[in-house]
Amino acid sequence: MAKRPEWLDSAVFYEIYPQSFKDTDGDGIGNINGITEKLPYIKELGCTAIWMNPCFDSPFGDAGYDVSDYCKVAPRYGTNDDLVHLFDEAHRLGMHVLLDLVPGHTSWEHPWFKESMKAERNEYTDRYVWTDSIWERPEGYGSLRGISERDGSCAVNFFTHQPALNYGWYKPSRPWQQAMDSEGATATREAMKDVMRFWLSRGCDGFRVDMAGSLVKNDEDGKGTIALWQNVRAFLDEEFPEAAMVSEWGEPRQSLAGGFHMDFLLHFGESHYNDLFRCGKPFFGGKGDASAFVAKYIDSYERSQRRGLICIPSGNHDMDRLARHIKGDARKLAFAFLLSMPGAPYIYYGDEIGMNYVEGLRSVEGGYGRTGSRSPMQWDSSANAGFSSAPAEKLYIPIDPDPARPTAKAQMKDADSLRSEVKKLIGVRQAHKALQSLGEIEFVCDGAPGKPLAYIRSSGDERILVIVNPTDNTADITVNGTPGETVYSFGGAPVISGNSVRINGGSAAFVKI
Ligand code: NOJ
């Protein structure tokens, strides 16, 4: 098993979209020093680590997921020294920082790609996935064609301006398809290790890895990509054994085998994540159905040898804000679930105060429908919600215009606010190992319509029954064991009789058994 940093086991993450968090130089866009300034706010909430979206040089056609220099902080965010200062400050506060590694593609403005487009063979000719004729496209992938002097089409991974880096094909079947151990594919992998080395040696604690499962092409069951990441993990074990690796993969049985410590539950594919938070009738809205989610979760859990390392985010920069679909106190129940599940929880900036999806915005930097979830953090009731001193029209994305928009400052003063509940829940998680990342989970009730979600978390001798009941119905959960101390409740205390626990509709309880 991969070496792992101990801090990861109890980590609660806070995701920061740097553009929108805090602007300290008045240009209307967030920056690194703004994040550093707000670390105490994140620590006060109880989070112990942050994941920052890409902050590197980029033409920002996809908000920085189109990198043009992996080793340089984009000037609009500050300097490399500012980022190193952020690492130092975080460490001083006992916190850790994951950067966002985008190994699958670059911007078409990256110097590697410019060299790779040249007809003349050079060091970067094989850095990307090219066919050997403009008339042939890489089947199964989008492609860039007709912009190079070189005769060929280049595969793209996401938007058209994001050419795919070459890590080889699992089973090459065309002359231009390179093997995983070819010189070109090996050079790409080593170049990515250099990027990791660059930041890890400057104090970064690890990476969230973008589209980690899609590097080797035509690799249906992930075997090639798993082998690639095992190779990277061996390098980390050797040079940076404390580096934490969290994948955007959505298949823990593959990503954990590749040496990742944790994987994300994705909001697309088969996870049924959206059944809980974002659909016509989300489970946490009270009228939905969590059973398909639970069935898929158990399947993933069993297939990854009961390693509960699937990180469930409250949201992220790619999906609708939680608050768009779940209203009022039901959000507290959603957090009771998020903060009592295995794997490290991720809180998307502003979700802790119930920030809303801002409707009707024009797309910014390739955000499209995602733009409404990327609006500036609402710190207080001063101009621009305390985000920036720039004129409102110069802000990266407009502030939520709702006069009743929530603010961090007001919620910190209000013991009944969402933020206060989230803070309380993080504290309960941190006080009980069973509730943390590595504790086991066994479901007792699968949240079928009208029913709560209930599960037992355990670690050593500690066993905690978690019941989250967003429905209108009172629920009785019977367990094998003796319910005792209630370590958390919301919406009324649970009533214990014998081996059964009764809780109201619209409530949650964590009870030792
Ligand atoms: C996933 C990232 O989260 C998303 O924001 C980005 O657009 C794509 N990967 C492409 O890198």
Side-chain angles (χ1 to χ4, degrees):
M1 212 211 266
K3 294 184 181 159
R4 55 182 303 118
E6 219 174 279
W7 62 265
L8 197 54
D9 299 343
S10 58
V12 176
F13 280 88
Y14 192 83
E15 179 195 340
I16 296 178
Y17 186 72
Q19 291 88 321
S20 297
F21 199 55
K22 174 71 189 173
D23 169 23
T24 55
D25 57 13
D27 64 356
I29 190 152
N31 53 9
I32 307 268
N33 287 342
I35 298 173
T36 308
E37 185 183 302
K38 292 296 184 183
L39 286 175
Y41 167 85
I42 301 168
K43 186 179 161 85
E44 196 274 345
L45 179 63
C47 291
T48 57
I50 60 176
W51 154 35
M52 283 168 62
N53 295 112
C55 56
F56 315 110
D57 234 359
S58 164
F60 294 102
D62 184 13
Y65 282 93
D66 47 335
V67 178
S68 57
D69 185 343
Y70 286 103
C71 297
K72 184 174 171 236
V73 165
R76 73 187 200 180
Y77 297 132
T79 62
N80 283 13
D81 284 348
D82 293 339
L83 186 53
V84 170
H85 177 60
L86 164 63
F87 298 150
D88 292 345
E89 273 303 290
H91 295 159
R92 199 179 59 77
L93 293 169
M95 301 169 77
H96 294 88
V97 181
L98 297 190
L99 292 178
D100 205 319
L101 183 71
V102 189
H105 47 266
T106 65
S107 157
W108 59 10
E109 289 189 17
H110 196 294
W112 295 346
F113 189 63
K114 290 189 175 160
E115 286 300 306
S116 180
M117 285 199 294
K118 293 185 178 161
E120 204 133 289
R121 216 179 148 72
N122 62 55
E123 193 186 337
Y124 301 100
T125 299
D126 296 330
R127 179 63 44 106
Y128 295 83
V129 179
W130 287 91
T131 69
D132 57 7
S133 154
I134 188 82
W135 310 119
E136 180 166 357
R137 301 177 195 212
E139 210 191 311
Y141 299 89
S143 62
L144 257 171
R145 309 162 65 230
I147 61 159
S148 62
E149 176 181 90
R150 170 183 187 159
D151 186 6
S153 312
C154 184
V156 299
N157 268 356
F158 198 68
F159 290 147
T160 316
H161 53 73
Q162 289 161 314
L165 285 161
N166 174 32
Y167 295 91
W169 293 70
Y170 187 54
K171 282 191 184 147
S173 60
R174 302 281 301 131
W176 50 266
Q177 295 182 351
Q178 304 198 343
M180 285 178 59
D181 60 357
S182 63
E183 214 181 308
T186 307
T188 309
R189 188 188 70 206
E190 295 307 308
M192 211 41 71
K193 285 182 191 167
D194 282 343
V195 171
M196 298 171 83
R197 216 177 248 123
F198 183 89
W199 289 114
L200 290 169
S201 64
R202 282 163 178 75
C204 147
D205 297 294
F207 299 95
R208 172 269 186 185
V209 180
D210 188 68
M211 296 175 72
S214 66
L215 301 192
V216 174
K217 300 305 180 204
N218 269 12
D219 182 23
E220 231 170 74
D221 54 9
K223 287 199 181 125
T225 305
I226 292 170
L228 170 73
W229 283 113
Q230 284 171 340
N231 177 290
V232 173
R233 189 64 236 176
F235 139 72
L236 291 172
D237 282 350
E238 183 69 32
E239 294 184 31
F240 301 98
E242 288 294 301
M245 295 291 284
V246 182
S247 51
E248 186 198 34
W249 193 318
E251 273 299 347
R253 99 197 128 88
Q254 297 179 339
S255 52
L256 301 184
F260 281 96
H261 297 115
M262 296 182 179
D263 194 7
F264 271 105
L265 190 77
L266 302 181
H267 61 292
F268 49 87
E270 295 168 7
S271 72
H272 290 278
Y273 171 89
N274 288 334
D275 298 4
L276 303 185
F277 306 104
R278 293 166 178 80
C279 61
K281 276 194 204 167
F283 175 74
F284 289 109
K287 304 266 180 263
D289 182 354
S291 60
F293 163 81
V294 171
K296 177 70 190 164
Y297 188 94
I298 293 173
D299 179 54
S300 281
Y301 188 60
E302 295 300 337
R303 293 209 284 163
S304 55
Q305 282 83 49
R306 300 178 67 76
R307 290 164 69 197
L309 301 170
I310 307 166
C311 301
I312 311 186
S314 68
N316 70 24
H317 60 290
D318 290 333
M319 52 176 128
D320 285 357
R321 284 277 184 188
L322 182 77
R324 192 184 196 188
H325 302 269
I326 298 172
K327 308 291 175 196
D329 279 350
R331 297 170 192 175
K332 296 179 179 169
L333 301 184
F335 273 100
F337 162 77
L338 286 161
L339 291 164
S340 62
M341 286 292 283
Y346 278 68
I347 299 174
Y348 183 50
Y349 81 95
D351 277 356
E352 76 279 15
I353 58 170
M355 263 175 65
N356 235 316
Y357 180 90
V358 181
E359 307 284 345
L361 293 180
R362 185 184 298 170
S363 175
V364 174
E365 294 187 343
Y368 302 98
R370 305 176 292 184
T371 306
S373 298
R374 299 174 175 185
S375 63
M377 176 68 183
Q378 294 151 201
W379 293 107
D380 54 38
S381 56
S382 66
N384 296 327
F387 162 66
S388 166
S389 60
E393 65 281 4
K394 286 196 100 183
L395 299 186
Y396 171 75
I397 291 175
I399 305 273
D400 180 355
D402 182 353
R405 65 183 174 232
T407 68
K409 191 171 176 193
Q411 292 213 2
M412 285 173 83
K413 284 198 223 133
D414 174 3
D416 292 329
S417 69
L418 177 59
R419 190 186 185 281
S420 296
E421 204 64 32
V422 170
K423 181 175 168 180
K424 188 194 289 180
L425 280 159
I426 296 176
V428 172
R429 180 180 176 97
Q430 300 298 35
H432 298 93
K433 221 170 161 50
L435 296 174
Q436 296 172 11
S437 288
L438 298 171
E440 300 248 329
I441 183 165
E442 185 194 325
F443 284 89
V444 186
C445 188
D446 69 358
K451 297 253 159 49
L453 257 180
Y455 40 89
I456 296 167
R457 299 291 319 278
S458 56
S459 171
D461 290 341
E462 187 177 57
R463 293 178 83 214
I464 297 177
L465 168 68
V466 173
I467 314 174
V468 183
N469 184 17
T471 75
D472 294 334
N473 312 328
T474 299
D476 290 298
I477 298 292
T478 304
V479 287
N480 210 341
T482 316
E485 187 197 348
T486 299
V487 296
Y488 170 80
S489 68
F490 173 79
V495 178
I496 296 167
S497 69
N499 60 349
S500 128
V501 180
R502 167 169 291 190
I503 73 167
N504 300 331
S507 74
F510 302 176
V511 181
K512 281 199 176 176
I513 55 173

